[in-house]
Amino acid sequence: MTTTLNPYLTGNFAPVETELTVDELPVVGELPAELRGMFVRNGPNPQFSPLGLYHWFDGDGMLHGVHIQDGKASYRNRYIRTQGFEQERQAGQAVFGGLLQPSQAGFKNVANTALVWHRDRLLALWEGGEPHAIDVPGLETIGAHTFNGKLASPVTAHPKVDPVTGEMMFFGYSLAQPPYVKYSVVSAEGDLLRTVPIDLPVGVMMHDFAITEHYTLFMDLPLTFRLERLQRGEPAFAFERDRPSRFGILPRHGDNGTIRWFEAPSCYVFHTLNAYEDGDDIVLIACRTGSTNVLGASPDAHEGDNRQVGSDVPLLHQWRFNLKTGAVREQALDDRACEFPRINEQYLGRQSRYGYAGKSTPTPMPKFDGLLKFDLDNGSVQVHSFGAERYGGEGVFVLRPDATAEDDGWLMTFVHDEAQDASELVVVSTQAMTDEPIARIQMPQRVPYGFHGTWVSLP
């Protein structure tokens, strides 16, 4: 594969070519005996050299999975075999273009972004199309999942599964024509119950959303898509600084007629941590940036360590929307750059004390040099550092079986040692964040930096 000078095709962003199955991996430290399941992470891994300009979001989805049982660990990685992947494999070369340089063949569903476990089914997600069902623990692709043919929109990379009712909420967005958003609810049994349109004034990139016990929150943020810009020879996507951010709140089983919109200063949010109800307030916690251009350099690009609040640096942030008065209050919760926020998902949609996120490095490339644990009650933050020249990804929270405390569990993430060119899965105790990992599972090959993961408990 030709890597040229594209930073997303070099170093540990570069793809790996081999699908492996390794039954027993070396472990430094000790894996808890009660830990039984599989850590799976999704990410881009192009099988062929791209046709034109390559964006990190373009690569074919590849799953890296570590199965843990009885204190031992095994590894396998598998491509997600979408229709577009198979077309290109048959052609022996890239056929489809990417975000920065589309081709006449259009875009392919790369299924490379995230994963959700619902109704004993693992789904690989990409917000531009349908999800793909994945076999666990084999990680082979079962095929596109359309909810028995009822799927009427793309599916966000970040569906929300209510831990109490078992319902799954998702949305899909359209850029060029209304309705720009469609919102769907799936029953605990996996049946798609309803899909309703949500009206927006213009198409926007809407990557994530949030739920509470009774409500669903949408974010109409000013990263817009306008065909008239494209016709003028300008990028179709642009961050419109003068456009306010709008937050739509509707009852979970409501529709466009019952949504209420709240305005706040212009910003962007890629990922939400959680949302919950507090009296008349709906509280949203997310990683907020003052601006963004996801397809290129931000207009507020930072230099070196000079990270400034209000630029494209993501900070943990809180909004309060009062359903009675319509008032909006917002505040930054911390001044550390962070992204890929996670919680103990037993608290999704309910007030939680703790949140976790990747600690961003002050470099142009999206890397994490540690993990953060936020105590949202007292404002304290604990830091787990990966060490010199070691960078990791999203810390997925895994609840200890029979846990009695919200933070009784572990964070898992792949970490790459750039000096040694070696990767491992680290297991960090969330009640001892500043300590060394309790276990480091050595990977049999390099695991490229990627996107989102999940933990699947297995018998």
Side-chain angles (χ1 to χ4, degrees):
M1 173 171 290
T2 301
T3 56
T4 65
L5 297 178
N6 189 313
Y8 290 110
L9 292 171
T10 60
N12 196 46
F13 288 93
V16 294
E17 297 180 355
T18 306
E19 294 176 303
L20 294 180
T21 301
V22 179
D23 289 335
E24 191 162 341
L25 303 173
V27 179
V28 177
E30 188 174 350
L31 289 166
E34 66 269 38
L35 198 54
R36 298 172 65 90
M38 193 169 196
F39 174 83
V40 188
R41 199 218 63 199
N42 204 346
N45 198 92
Q47 66 168 327
F48 297 112
S49 296
L51 287 179
L53 297 174
Y54 176 77
H55 191 283
W56 197 28
F57 296 171
D58 293 338
D60 298 290
M62 177 176 277
L63 302 175
H64 297 264
V66 178
H67 188 193
I68 299 172
Q69 182 175 328
D70 301 327
K72 297 180 179 180
S74 61
Y75 167 83
R76 65 182 59 216
N77 65 306
R78 296 291 186 271
Y79 274 111
I80 302 170
R81 283 163 160 74
T82 66
Q83 182 179 358
F85 174 92
E86 296 291 9
Q87 278 183 252
E88 292 187 328
R89 173 146 291 199
Q90 187 171 1
Q93 63 181 19
V95 173
F96 299 91
L99 289 171
L100 298 177
Q101 197 165 347
S103 70
Q104 289 186 341
F107 297 98
K108 61 180 171 180
N109 181 336
V110 287
N112 68 7
T113 310
L115 298 154
V116 67
W117 178 258
H118 186 243
R119 197 184 172 272
D120 299 326
R121 180 183 289 118
L122 184 65
L123 298 177
L125 303 156
W126 178 71
E127 64 196 54
E130 71 275 9
H132 285 74
I134 304 297
D135 172 65
V136 177
L139 300 188
E140 305 297 343
T141 304
I142 298 169
H145 185 72
T146 62
F147 300 93
N148 292 318
K150 295 181 180 178
L151 185 63
S153 74
V155 176
T156 174
H158 297 288
K160 308 300 178 189
V161 178
D162 188 307
V164 176
T165 69
E167 293 170 300
M168 180 169 72
M169 279 57 69
F170 70 84
F171 69 91
Y173 68 88
S174 165
L175 293 171
Q177 58 186 21
Y180 293 116
V181 173
K182 292 182 179 179
Y183 165 56
S184 298
V185 179
V186 178
S187 72
E189 294 73 36
D191 297 320
L192 203 165
L193 300 178
R194 60 199 302 266
T195 297
V196 297
I198 302 295
D199 289 342
L200 300 182
V202 64
V204 297
M205 182 179 178
M206 187 183 295
H207 185 65
D208 201 355
F209 73 135
I211 64 167
T212 70
E213 184 177 358
H214 300 104
Y215 295 93
T216 298
L217 287 72
F218 294 101
M219 299 182 291
D220 176 16
L221 307 178
L223 181 57
T224 65
F225 179 93
R226 296 186 188 271
L227 286 174
E228 54 266 36
R229 280 196 293 259
L230 200 62
Q231 291 164 353
R232 294 196 299 265
E234 302 169 2
F237 275 107
F239 186 83
E240 301 183 12
R241 297 176 178 278
D242 297 332
R243 190 171 179 264
S245 296
R246 299 198 315 149
F247 296 82
I249 301 176
L250 78 160
R252 176 174 297 181
H253 295 278
D255 55 28
N256 194 63
T258 53
I259 194 169
R260 288 184 60 187
W261 290 100
F262 297 77
E263 286 195 1
S266 177
C267 70
Y268 196 71
V269 172
F270 278 107
H271 300 109
T272 63
L273 176 78
N274 199 14
Y276 60 91
E277 299 159 29
D278 182 16
D280 292 326
D281 284 349
I282 302 295
V283 182
L284 171 66
I285 302 175
C287 292
R288 176 195 187 274
T289 62
S291 64
T292 190
N293 181 349
V294 68
L295 299 182
S298 165
D300 292 329
H302 51 77
E303 296 181 4
D305 291 331
N306 184 25
R307 288 172 168 267
Q308 301 295 324
V309 176
S311 72
D312 63 345
V313 177
L315 303 177
L316 198 66
H317 203 81
Q318 181 190 86
W319 293 260
R320 283 183 169 268
F321 308 100
N322 190 284
L323 295 177
K324 184 172 288 187
T325 67
V328 180
R329 288 178 292 158
E330 61 173 287
Q331 65 178 113
L333 299 180
D334 194 67
D335 61 0
R336 295 170 180 83
C338 65
E339 250 296 354
F340 285 16
R342 298 295 294 254
I343 61 168
N344 174 347
E345 293 191 356
Q346 296 299 310
Y347 289 79
L348 186 69
R350 281 80 180 167
Q351 186 167 1
S352 55
R353 177 172 179 176
Y354 300 104
Y356 310 92
K359 178 176 173 288
S360 301
T361 60
T363 60
M365 297 299 284
K367 295 181 182 180
F368 299 131
D369 59 12
L371 296 169
L372 301 173
K373 177 185 179 181
F374 297 95
D375 186 324
L376 301 171
D377 282 2
N378 63 29
S380 65
V381 181
Q382 291 180 297
V383 181
H384 177 87
S385 176
F386 295 139
E389 296 188 75
R390 290 167 55 86
Y391 302 97
E394 174 185 63
V396 174
F397 181 85
V398 180
L399 185 67
R400 184 191 300 274
D402 302 321
T404 56
E406 178 190 332
D407 65 340
D408 188 4
W410 308 275
L411 292 180
M412 293 188 186
T413 188
F414 287 117
V415 170
H416 185 71
D417 188 316
E418 296 197 345
Q420 302 294 325
D421 195 24
S423 299
E424 56 191 24
L425 178 69
V426 300
V427 182
V428 177
S429 169
T430 44
Q431 293 187 330
M433 281 290 293
T434 59
D435 291 355
E436 290 293 311
I438 63 168
R440 293 164 43 205
I441 305 170
Q442 314 276 292
M443 294 296 104
Q445 69 175 349
R446 183 174 60 81
V447 177
Y449 300 127
F451 300 140
H452 302 283
T454 194
W455 171 260
V456 179
S457 295
L458 297 173

